[in-house]
Amino acid sequence: MLSIEIHKRFVSKRREVNIDYSVSINSSVTTALYGKSGVGKSSVLRMIAGLETPESGNIVFNDEQWFSSTEKINIPIAKRKLGFVFQDYNLFPNMTVAGNLKYASENGKIPERISGLLNSAGLASLMDAYPDELSGGQRQRIALLRALCQEPELLLLDEPFSALDDEAIAELIKEIKRIQESLNTTIIVVSHRKDVIFKMADYVVHLKPNGEVEHGKPEDTLERDF
Amino acid sequence: MDYTPFLVTFKLAVFTTLILFIIAIPISYFLAFSKWKGKIILESILMLPIILPPTVLGFYYLSYLGPESAVGAFFEDTFGISFAFSFEGILLGSVIYCTPFMLSPMMNGFRTIPRNIVESTYLLKKSRWNALWHVLLPNMKRSIWSAVLLTFAHTIGEFGLVLMIGGKMQETNVASVAIYDEMNSLNYDVANNYAIVLLCISFVLIVALNLITRNNRSTIA
């Protein structure tokens, strides 16, 4: 279980963003953070990862306190047992696919289960390719597998579909579902696309500008208006 | 033609570039990523030689490090090192004067690397040192080459500062100063020979800079 209660106020793109949310997310399922642009979905994800620091609040994952403003706890990123996939620029351009995966792996050796996922996803033939030789979809799928190399208990995906076409989105969703089924990882994905959320998420946390949070199954929480 | 001025010039350029390369990596990393508010002042001081007349730098250099100064006298008496009218002197002056030419491209290189790439290294539990050597520096090869070639080329062309700090000694007689001396002695043919060689070297360096910094695959900056 991931429990977050965070507060942060900042200016982004000349607009004041006021993040004030209290959310609980179940383990071993895929949860989508949904909300209009500017509600702070990505910032919430970055605060969970430790890339940004809340002004106040708590972040607790599986009974482990990652952040507490009152107790002055702020666990470093490296100790948070998580994987993170950004919208773009995930892979290191100077390394091949194999290089990226080896660099992410603890002893420089790609874990067997990641090799297995590469094979079953048909990505094994791309091992010697550089990121600029891959399609956007392939890059994101490799980034997803790279994030798994350190066996994270929590996988955070920040708008991973934004730069992809429908075909690539379908492949990436398939990949995320396969990972969810085989590894039982807790996945949180930020997306503003309802169609994607209906296809892949078990639960939705709908963040609203006034700090209100609505959560539940996609069909109970979001209108199917696409 | 006496080739000594070219040997001195190359020795000066190689050492200046090497020293600045080593110094500039940590400084430019700090200036690019640090959130320290005072860094604008530090950056401005380090960039000053870009607009500062070499004579101003030379004047203060000799005032504070020359043989008449307390620091200069201390180093000469204690370690036997002279910061003026010696190769070590023009080397130190050259390092100070060329700092912006190494630092600026390196800082731009670090700043051009997308934030996601830098943050990915943190998320993969890599130390700053590991990320610097395996991810950041390899992804800014163009900036590094620009910095190295610009510094090297600029050192080769140095004149005023070297003339002030180096005086007229054989070990400090770089090619640009040799041209000036030959001109003053009305030896136009010799000056012309020196000038042609410097012109060719400068042209080759600029072509190399353009070639290397263009379309370098698998690098960002």
Side-chain angles (χ1 to χ4, degrees), chain A residues 97-115:
Chain A
V97 168
N100 267 280
L101 295 171
K102 282 178 186 168
Y103 183 69
S105 307
E106 247 170 49
N107 50 8
K109 197 169 171 253
I110 303 168
E112 270 182 33
R113 61 185 190 139
I114 302 299
S115 302

Side-chain angles (χ1 to χ4, degrees), chain A residues 86 88-94 100 146, chain B residues 112-124 131 135-136 139 220:
Chain A
F86 295 100
D88 51 16
Y89 287 115
N90 285 290
L91 301 179
F92 303 128
N94 61 309
N100 267 280
R146 192 187 69 177
Chain B
T112 311
I113 292 175
R115 189 173 71 164
N116 292 357
I117 296 264
V118 180
E119 289 182 342
S120 289
T121 64
Y122 307 156
L123 291 158
L124 293 173
V135 178
L136 304 188
N139 276 307
I220 294 168

Side-chain angles (χ1 to χ4, degrees), chain A:
Chain A
M1 169 81 85
L2 172 72
S3 301
I4 54 173
E5 190 195 327
I6 44 178
H7 173 73
K8 187 168 185 170
R9 193 190 289 255
F10 59 93
V11 175
S12 171
K13 293 172 188 165
R14 294 183 184 175
R15 210 169 55 174
E16 191 178 276
V17 180
N18 188 10
I19 293 174
D20 196 358
Y21 297 116
S22 185
V23 179
S24 290
I25 289 168
N26 291 330
S27 296
S28 308
V29 292
T30 299
T31 303
L33 284 186
Y34 174 80
K36 284 186 179 163
S37 177
V39 295
K41 304 181 292 291
S42 291
S43 293
V44 169
L45 210 65
R46 291 173 61 79
M47 284 188 245
I48 296 170
L51 293 169
E52 284 179 30
T53 310
E55 280 167 16
S56 61
N58 289 287
I59 299 173
V60 181
F61 180 65
N62 289 349
D63 298 326
E64 201 176 300
Q65 188 95 43
W66 282 359
F67 178 82
S68 167
S69 53
T70 50
E71 292 175 51
K72 297 201 179 341
I73 294 171
N74 191 8
I75 300 289
I77 301 169
K79 291 189 176 169
R80 294 198 183 198
K81 297 173 196 161
L82 54 85
F84 200 107
V85 177
F86 295 100
Q87 184 178 328
D88 51 16
Y89 287 115
N90 285 290
L91 301 179
F92 303 128
N94 61 309
M95 299 179 193
T96 60
V97 168
N100 267 280
L101 295 171
K102 282 178 186 168
Y103 183 69
S105 307
E106 247 170 49
N107 50 8
K109 197 169 171 253
I110 303 168
E112 270 182 33
R113 61 185 190 139
I114 302 299
S115 302
L117 286 167
L118 272 167
N119 283 322
S120 55
L123 297 170
S125 59
L126 302 173
M127 293 297 266
D128 294 328
Y130 281 89
D132 67 350
E133 296 169 327
L134 306 176
S135 69
Q138 286 170 332
R139 274 200 288 267
Q140 288 301 69
R141 287 157 72 201
I142 298 290
L144 193 62
L145 294 176
R146 192 187 69 177
L148 294 170
C149 282
Q150 296 195 333
E151 303 181 10
E153 290 175 16
L154 177 62
L155 185 58
L156 305 174
L157 314 175
D158 187 8
E159 299 270 13
F161 310 102
S162 298
L164 306 182
D165 58 30
D166 287 346
E167 199 182 325
I169 288 174
E171 294 237 325
L172 189 57
I173 290 176
K174 213 163 81 182
E175 199 71 46
I176 294 168
K177 283 191 162 181
R178 266 174 355 110
I179 288 164
Q180 174 70 75
E181 281 163 19
S182 60
L183 305 178
N184 218 23
T185 312
T186 305
I187 299 176
I188 303 175
V189 57
V190 164
S191 182
H192 61 276
R193 287 187 55 165
K194 285 184 185 175
D195 57 332
V196 169
I197 291 173
F198 271 93
K199 278 180 197 159
M200 65 171 293
D202 300 305
Y203 289 95
V204 181
V205 173
H206 187 172
L207 304 177
K208 299 188 175 179
N210 54 4
E212 201 183 314
V213 176
E214 210 177 310
H215 50 89
K217 293 192 171 178
E219 53 272 28
D220 300 333
T221 316
L222 301 177
E223 270 182 58
R224 199 184 269 271
D225 54 4
F226 48 89

